[in-house]
Amino acid sequence: MDFTTGISIFFNLLLIGAFIIDRVFRIKSINEYKEAKQAQIDTLKEKIDLLANFNDDFIAKKLKSQIDNLKSLIESSDNPEIKGKLEQF
């Protein structure tokens, strides 16, 4: 085996090694991309489920809960003017 054949074999092995390393990193990045996309899909599914629950009953319960919270905050207030306005409701 002469010198040029040895160099040719060495460079071919080096290129094969570089190709294998490239493929490993490409597969890793593809898997990370898939995981990120799956996380986006899961988030969108959660949003869809949340929006599916937005019906009149859900909204009414939320509003009632917020009004009750406001009433309890106002009732704990020492301001008589605010308490007078609360009694109007």
Side-chain angles (χ1 to χ4, degrees), residues 22-71:
D22 176 64
R23 292 295 133 180
V24 168
F25 281 109
R26 186 168 294 198
I27 290 171
K28 182 179 177 184
S29 66
I30 288 171
N31 287 336
E32 289 174 356
Y33 178 79
K34 283 182 182 179
E35 290 173 3
K37 284 298 174 184
Q38 187 60 45
Q40 286 179 338
I41 290 170
D42 293 341
T43 302
L44 289 174
K45 284 180 180 179
E46 289 174 8
K47 287 181 180 180
I48 289 170
D49 290 342
L50 180 66
L51 290 174
N53 290 330
F54 269 48
N55 55 26
D56 291 340
D57 292 334
F58 178 78
I59 294 171
K61 287 178 185 176
K62 277 291 197 188
L63 287 175
K64 183 177 179 339
S65 171
Q66 289 178 351
I67 289 170
D68 290 342
N69 287 340
L70 286 173
K71 282 183 180 179

Side-chain angles (χ1 to χ4, degrees), residues 1-15:
M1 177 157 71
D2 63 348
F3 180 72
T4 56
T5 307
I7 290 178
S8 177
I9 292 173
F10 173 74
F11 280 116
N12 283 335
L13 291 174
L14 189 65
L15 289 174

